[in-house]
């Protein structure tokens, strides 16, 4: 980021397994309350993994017309509702010129679950596929839907960088705001991949926990007994706005996106670079962009998936960047599961809310460290009280995609 315009956060909207609004979500994460539960249809199909973290049902017709809902993939529904909540919270209506308002969406699977459903119901009768199959499955449909609903005539872009997608969308949106190209961007991520084929694919890779008898204890980031993540779903969007624009219109500024770093391990399609060297460079780049030294960070919201190799690599990266006496570290995936392309955006919302409260959430299900992670200050048991300070939020994805955001409360 060469231009140093400030980026304000003026609205937040979430739809997650642990809460349908930002305060409810923060309370659940601070309380370390896992949301993973048995999925009866998966058990009936005798899948290897029969549990997930799903968003509870809510009144989607408060946001979208019934005829539009019937044409949308679940991820697009969750994402549009979260984006509308963020826009309403920011008071965007009539406050930003259409041409100066953009959309940035992170998704890793796009309409894959919708495609899976169509193939399962119409695979032997392709001439009978629903007329709106293409809009349901195209990855750009959510960005288009948000832009259409908000009448945002600036860029409506989709970023697909696996589990870093939501964080990359927010970082790239900040670039557009900082440069003065746009006055505001509704930026975030959405994902809904709780489906038989996708779940089975991740299970075959060895990425999912198989604690079918105790789903609530399954996701345990950085714990010595971790054995994989819990599939989650959800959406989160933040309104990122030029600081001067937000101030001029009297908007409530909730926080600031201070820094952004992104790079690639260039190592393996599904395994992280174990020494964490490139991920550490990503964090250093974000801190440099924010103009902060490591000791000015209040806490780290780790990617922390609960897989053996990811947590080991991230622990190495954190130690490389912050040393052995770094700030407290947390991960919210023990509560939320892993929502893939949405995770970076959901966790940015969590990180900002907790930094504002001066509290670091405990890692759900963490009971003991091992040699991989015992150099980190892992928060467990209950929230850690800290001074209000900037927070680092990491998102590291398959293919070596790395993204780090630095956010600060106001």
């Amino acid at each position: 980021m060469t231009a140093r315009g400030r980026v304000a956060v003026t609205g937040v909207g979430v739809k997650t397994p642990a809460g349908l609004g930002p305060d409810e979500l923060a309370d659940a994460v601070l309380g370390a309350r896992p949301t993973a539960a048995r999925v009866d249809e998966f058990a009936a199909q005798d899948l290897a993994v029969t549990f997930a973290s799903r968003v509870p049902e809510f009144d989607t017709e408060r946001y979208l017309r019934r005829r539009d809902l019937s044409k949308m993939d679940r991820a697009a529904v969750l994402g549009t509702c979260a984006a509308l909540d963020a826009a309403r919270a920011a008071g965007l209506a009539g406050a930003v010129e259409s041409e100066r308002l953009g959309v940035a969406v992170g998704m890793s699977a796009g309409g894959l679950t919708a495609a899976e459903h169509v193939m399962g119901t119409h695979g032997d009768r392709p001439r009978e596929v629903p007329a709106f199959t293409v809009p349901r499955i195209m990855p750009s449909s959510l960005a288009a839907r948000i832009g259409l609903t908000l009448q945002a005539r600036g860029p409506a872009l989709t970023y697909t960088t696996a589990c870093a997608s939501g964080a990359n969308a927010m970082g790239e949106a900040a670039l557009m705001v900082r440069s003065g190209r746009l006055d505001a961007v509704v930026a975030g991520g959405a994902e809904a991949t709780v489906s038989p084929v996708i779940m089975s694919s991740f299970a075959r890779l060895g990425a999912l926990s198989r604690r079918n008898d105790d789903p609530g204890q399954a996701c345990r980031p950085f714990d010595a007994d971790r054995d994989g993540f819990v599939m989650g779903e959800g959406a989160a969007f933040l309104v990122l706005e030029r600081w001067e624009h937000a101030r001029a219109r009297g908007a409530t500024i909730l926080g600031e996106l201070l820094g952004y770093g992104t790079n690639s391990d260039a190592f393996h399609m599904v395994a992280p670079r174990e020494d964490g060297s490139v991920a550490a460079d990503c964090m250093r780049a974000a801190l440099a962009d924010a103009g902060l030294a490591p000791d000015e960070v209040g806490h780290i919201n780790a990617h922390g998936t609960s897989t053996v190799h990811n947590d080991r690599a991230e622990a190495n990266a954190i130690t490389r960047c912050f040393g052995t006496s770094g700030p407290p570290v947390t991960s919210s995936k023990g509560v939320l599961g892993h929502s893939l392309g949405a995770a970076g955006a959901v966790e940015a919302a969590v990180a900002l809310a907790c930094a504002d409260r001066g509290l670091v959430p405990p890692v759900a299900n963490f009971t003991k460290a091992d040699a991989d992670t015992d150099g980190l200050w892992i928060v467990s048991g209950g929230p850690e009280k800290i001074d209000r300070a900037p927070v680092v939020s990491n998102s590291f994805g398959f293919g070596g995609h790395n993204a780090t955001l630095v956010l600060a409360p106001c």
Side-chain angles (χ1 to χ4, degrees):
M1 296 182 181
T2 55
R4 294 307 306 180
R6 297 176 70 182
V7 180
V9 178
T10 54
V12 179
V14 302
K15 298 298 178 206
T16 77
L20 302 176
D23 289 337
E24 182 185 6
L25 169 61
D27 288 345
V29 172
L30 286 165
R33 300 193 291 270
T35 57
R38 171 188 166 101
V39 180
D40 290 338
E41 53 265 43
F42 291 172
Q45 292 173 294
D46 196 29
L47 298 189
V49 176
T50 58
F51 58 94
S53 290
R54 297 190 292 182
V55 177
E57 294 303 314
F58 62 97
D59 184 7
T60 54
E61 292 185 33
R62 288 181 51 235
Y63 300 85
L64 294 156
R65 296 175 298 182
R66 186 175 302 178
R67 67 181 185 183
D68 291 329
L69 287 164
S70 67
K71 302 169 185 175
M72 298 169 65
D73 177 60
R74 178 167 172 79
V77 173
L78 295 176
T80 303
C81 294
L84 289 176
D85 279 347
R88 290 166 182 165
L92 279 189
V96 181
E97 295 179 14
S98 293
E99 293 76 11
R100 303 279 297 169
L101 176 62
V103 178
V105 172
M107 299 184 80
S108 70
L112 194 56
T113 52
E116 178 184 334
H117 176 74
V118 169
M119 290 297 295
T121 56
H122 298 281
D124 58 345
R125 305 185 312 279
R127 291 173 61 89
E128 300 175 14
V129 298
F132 271 80
T133 294
V134 170
R136 282 172 62 89
I137 68 176
M138 65 185 193
S140 59
S141 64
L142 173 54
R145 177 66 65 178
I146 294 171
L148 174 65
T149 306
L150 297 178
Q151 284 296 286
R153 297 179 185 174
L157 304 175
T158 302
Y159 299 88
T160 302
T161 51
C163 307
S165 300
N168 276 134
M170 292 179 59
E172 298 298 320
L175 288 173
M176 292 187 280
V177 173
R178 275 195 178 175
S179 70
R181 181 181 178 188
L182 296 174
D183 289 329
V185 181
V186 181
E191 205 83 272
T193 49
V194 181
S195 73
V197 171
I198 297 176
M199 293 275 291
S200 295
S201 298
F202 276 96
R204 289 292 299 274
L205 281 174
L208 297 185
S209 171
R210 299 200 177 204
R211 288 185 168 91
N212 291 315
D213 58 340
D214 193 3
Q217 298 291 312
C219 190
R220 39 199 324 117
F222 299 113
D223 188 76
D225 294 328
R226 65 192 186 276
D227 72 331
F229 67 80
V230 172
M231 185 65 76
E233 62 178 11
F237 281 83
L238 276 62
V239 175
L240 304 180
E241 187 170 351
R242 282 197 308 111
W243 190 275
E244 296 83 358
H245 187 275
R247 289 285 298 273
R249 71 181 184 87
T252 299
I253 296 178
L254 307 174
E256 183 173 0
L257 201 159
L258 291 174
Y260 168 53
T262 186
N263 63 11
S264 175
D265 276 0
F267 175 70
H268 194 276
M269 281 305 297
V270 296
R273 188 178 288 273
E274 194 163 290
D275 67 3
S277 57
V278 181
D281 287 341
C282 183
M283 284 185 275
R284 292 190 189 102
L287 288 173
D289 183 56
L292 296 176
D295 62 5
E296 294 179 278
V297 171
H299 79 280
I300 299 169
N301 178 82
H303 187 56
T305 61
S306 183
T307 60
V308 172
H309 297 293
N310 175 271
D311 288 3
R312 178 187 300 150
E314 187 170 13
N316 288 335
I318 291 171
T319 301
R320 282 176 177 268
C321 183
F322 290 89
T324 56
S325 57
V329 176
T330 189
S331 168
S332 58
K333 289 185 176 67
V335 172
L336 298 167
H338 189 358
S339 56
L340 306 183
V346 171
E347 292 171 19
V350 170
L352 182 59
C354 292
D356 183 61
R357 298 186 188 192
L359 294 171
V360 185
V363 178
N365 301 320
F366 181 86
T367 58
K368 61 179 178 179
D370 61 10
D372 294 335
T373 60
D374 62 5
L376 300 184
W377 177 4
I378 305 293
V379 178
S380 62
E384 184 78 27
K385 179 68 176 175
I386 60 169
D387 293 334
R388 294 173 81 251
V391 55
V392 162
S393 188
N394 287 333
S395 297
F396 304 141
F398 276 2
H401 300 292
N402 301 318
T404 297
L405 301 172
V406 182
L407 302 112
C410 287

